[in-house]
Amino acid sequence: IAQSARVEGLVVLEATIDATGLVTDVKVLRSVPLLDNAAIDAVRQWRYTPTRLNGLPIPVIMTVTVTFSLK
């Protein structure tokens, strides 16, 4: 729908990455209503190398910007 409506923009998300590198929680910080769900779905599929503190994997919260542009 967003593509046919020619909607572009940035969606800024806050993602929680657990100790295994999986995305466990996502919140929208900056919204483009037609693009929010696509951005959330994409980020939930990503996998990260676990962050380590003193050699032990820990969960982290990070900000992710997803850019949607039509060519």
Side-chain angles (χ1 to χ4, degrees):
I1 295 171
Q3 190 173 21
S4 63
R6 311 231 10 110
V7 175
E8 297 180 312
L10 300 173
V11 177
V12 180
L13 305 170
E14 179 182 276
T16 302
I17 314 303
D18 71 10
T20 65
L22 300 176
V23 177
T24 58
D25 186 39
V26 180
K27 288 193 289 188
V28 177
L29 300 178
R30 179 176 171 197
S31 178
V32 177
L34 285 175
L35 302 175
D36 291 350
N37 287 335
I40 291 169
D41 291 344
V43 170
R44 284 189 188 276
Q45 294 177 35
W46 297 352
R47 301 296 177 255
Y48 292 88
T49 301
T51 300
R52 295 187 174 274
L53 179 64
N54 297 325
L56 299 173
I58 60 167
V60 294
I61 297 173
M62 62 182 285
T63 303
V64 179
T65 302
V66 181
T67 304
F68 292 89
S69 63
L70 298 169
K71 301 235 175 190

